[in-house]
Amino acid sequence: MQLLDRQQALAIAPLWRLGFRPFFLAGALFALLAVALWAAVLQGLTNPAVPGGLLAWHRHEMPFGFGLAIIAGFLLTAVQNWTGHPGLSGRPLITLFGLWLAARLAWFTSVPLPLLIAMQLAFIGLLIAQMARQLIAARQRNNYPILLVLCLLALCQSLTLAGLALGDDGLQRRGALAALWLIAVMLSLIGGRVIPFFTQRGLGRAEAFAAHPWQDRLLLTCGVLVAALFASGHNLLASSWLTAPFIVLSVLHGLRLWRWYPRGIWRVPLLWSLHMAYAWLLLATLGMTAWHLGWLAQPGLASHALAVGAMGGLILAMMARVSLGHTGRALQPPKAMGWAFGLLNLGALIRVSAGSGWLWLAALCWSLAFALFTWHYAPMLCRARVDGHPG
C-alpha cells in the first residue's frame, strides 16, 4: 500500500478496517442469542411472532444469517491476500454490515414480507458482487469455485424465501438443507487450504502436507451434486442409490483427516479444534449414508452433525485463529478458548446422540462457547492491530 493509503486506512475506526472484525463479532453474538432464543421456544418459554413461524426463521437464519455472516467476514478479509488489493473497509463495509444487521432484525418487525425477502437477498447479492469484482479483476481463477458456491447459495436462499412467501414448508426445507450442504462444500474448500497449512505452521513442520488437486475437485463436484439433490427434493427421501456421493465424500474426508493428522495437534487448541470440526463433516456424510441405507432413523441427526459440529466448530476455530493473526497478535488464544472448543463439541455430541429432552443442554453448550469467544475477542476486534499496521 502507498503511504497515503496507509494513512487513510489508519484513520478508519478499527472495527471497520476489515470484514472479519464486524462480521466475526456480530456473527458470534448472533449465534449465541439465536440459539438461546430457539431453545427457549422449544422449551415453551416464549413464542415471538415472525413471518412463517419460528421454524422458518430457524431454518433460514442458521445458514443465511449466522453462516453467511462468518463466510462474508472471512472472504472479505482473505480476498485482500489473494488479490494483493485492499479489502472492503470504511463506509462500504459499514453499509454491507448494516444491511446484514437490518435483515436479521427485520424478522421481528412489521416490515412487509416482500421487503423482508428483498433485504435477505440484497446482502448475499452485494457480497457476490464485491467478491466477483476483486477476484475477476485479479484473474484469480483458482478462487472461482468460491464464487460458484456463493452464487449457488444465493439460489438456495431464493428457494427458501420462495417457500416462505408461498407458505410451502417443503420448499423451505429443500432450500435450507441444500444451503447447509453447500456450506459443507465451502468448509471443505477453505478447510482443505487452511487446516494442513495451520497444522504445519503450528507444529513447526519443515515439510508441507502433499496437495491432491484431483481429490479437491472431486469433493467440490460431489458436494455440489449433494446440494442439488437436496434442492430438487430427492435427498429428502431415503434411497440406496443416493448413497454414492455420500460414500465418495466420506472416503475423501476420511483420507484428508488421516493425511493431516499428527499426534502433536492435541497440544495445540487452535489445531485440535480444527481437526475435530472437520471430523464432524465426515460424521455428517457417514450419517447421510447410513440414513439412505436404512441404518439411521432420522436424517436430521446428520444435518445437525453438519450444522453444529462441523459448521459451528470450524467457524469458532477459524475465528479464534484468524482474529489473532489479523490483529497482529501471537497465535496463542486465551486459555478459555480451549473450554469454548470443548463446549461446542460437547453440544454437538448431545444434539446428535441425546433425546429431545436434552436439547436445552446442547443449546447451552453452544451459547456458552460463542459467549466465551465474544467476551475474549470483542476487545481485539474493536481495537487497532497491536503492531500498528492497518487492517
Side-chain angles (χ1 to χ4, degrees):
M1 295 178 67
Q2 300 295 322
L3 180 60
L4 181 61
D5 294 334
R6 177 185 174 86
Q7 291 173 341
Q8 291 175 341
L10 291 175
I12 299 170
L15 184 62
W16 308 109
R17 290 182 183 176
L18 267 180
F20 78 97
R21 291 177 175 273
F23 283 110
F24 283 9
L25 179 56
L29 277 169
F30 182 66
L32 73 92
L33 293 174
V35 170
L37 174 59
W38 180 239
V41 170
L42 294 178
Q43 294 297 313
L45 301 177
T46 186
N47 189 29
V50 299
L54 265 297
L55 179 58
W57 169 79
H58 177 65
R59 280 178 180 161
H60 181 275
E61 292 299 272
M62 190 67 170
F64 303 117
F66 167 59
L68 199 55
I70 308 303
I71 289 172
F74 178 83
L75 293 181
L76 291 171
T77 303
V79 74
Q80 180 170 270
N81 296 328
W82 297 341
T83 64
H85 297 287
L88 202 67
S89 63
R91 290 182 181 177
L93 178 57
I94 293 172
T95 301
L96 185 63
F97 174 77
L99 180 57
W100 174 85
L101 181 60
R104 309 285 69 77
L105 297 175
W107 285 91
F108 300 94
T109 65
S110 57
V111 301
L113 184 58
L115 178 57
L116 172 70
I117 292 173
M119 293 170 69
Q120 310 302 326
L121 294 177
F123 173 73
I124 193 170
L126 289 174
L127 175 62
I128 291 170
Q130 174 64 21
M131 291 299 300
R133 183 183 67 83
Q134 291 195 253
L135 291 177
I136 294 173
R139 299 183 180 179
Q140 280 278 316
R141 292 184 176 85
N142 60 317
N143 286 310
Y144 286 178
I146 289 175
L147 273 183
L148 169 66
V149 175
L150 283 176
C151 291
L152 293 175
L153 273 173
L155 291 177
C156 289
Q157 188 175 23
S158 300
L159 183 63
T160 305
L161 293 170
L164 178 66
L166 297 171
D168 189 325
D169 184 76
L171 279 181
Q172 293 179 53
R173 284 190 67 207
R174 285 159 53 185
L177 288 170
L180 193 59
W181 284 92
L182 280 174
I183 290 175
V185 175
M186 189 74 78
L187 297 179
S188 68
L189 282 172
I190 295 173
R193 299 179 185 184
V194 303
I195 295 176
F197 175 71
F198 289 170
T199 302
Q200 178 196 357
R201 294 288 297 272
L203 297 180
R205 287 171 53 106
E207 185 179 356
F209 292 92
H212 296 81
W214 71 269
Q215 292 184 9
D216 298 341
R217 289 192 290 270
L218 188 54
L219 272 171
L220 174 64
T221 302
C222 285
V224 170
L225 174 61
V226 161
L229 289 170
F230 271 108
S232 65
H234 289 86
N235 256 329
L236 300 183
L237 299 173
S239 178
S240 58
W241 71 271
L242 290 174
T243 59
F246 290 108
I247 290 173
V248 173
L249 288 172
S250 298
V251 170
L252 293 176
H253 289 321
L255 283 173
R256 276 182 157 187
L257 283 168
W258 176 71
R259 289 200 309 266
W260 296 342
Y261 176 71
R263 284 182 293 181
I265 64 171
W266 300 108
R267 302 191 304 268
V268 186
L270 287 179
L271 295 182
W272 64 253
S273 56
L274 287 168
H275 286 256
M276 287 193 70
Y278 202 89
W280 280 106
L281 192 54
L282 169 61
L283 289 175
T285 56
L286 288 173
M288 286 303 300
T289 302
W291 178 68
H292 278 300
L293 291 174
W295 302 343
L296 186 69
Q298 300 178 29
L301 298 180
S303 300
H304 283 89
L306 173 56
V308 181
M311 185 176 79
L314 199 56
I315 280 175
L316 187 62
M318 284 291 295
M319 288 196 304
R321 207 276 189 187
V322 169
S323 298
L324 292 174
H326 281 284
T327 56
R329 289 171 169 81
L331 299 178
Q332 295 293 332
K335 290 183 179 180
M337 287 309 297
W339 288 99
F341 299 143
L343 281 167
L344 189 136
N345 281 280
L346 176 60
L349 182 62
I350 293 170
R351 181 61 186 83
V352 301
S353 63
S356 58
W358 293 96
L359 292 181
W360 67 270
L361 184 56
L364 178 62
C365 289
W366 167 284
S367 294
L368 285 175
F370 282 97
L372 285 171
F373 171 86
T374 304
W375 178 262
H376 288 281
Y377 278 80
M380 305 182 200
L381 296 171
C382 294
R383 294 172 185 163
R385 288 178 61 111
V386 296
D387 55 13
H389 291 305

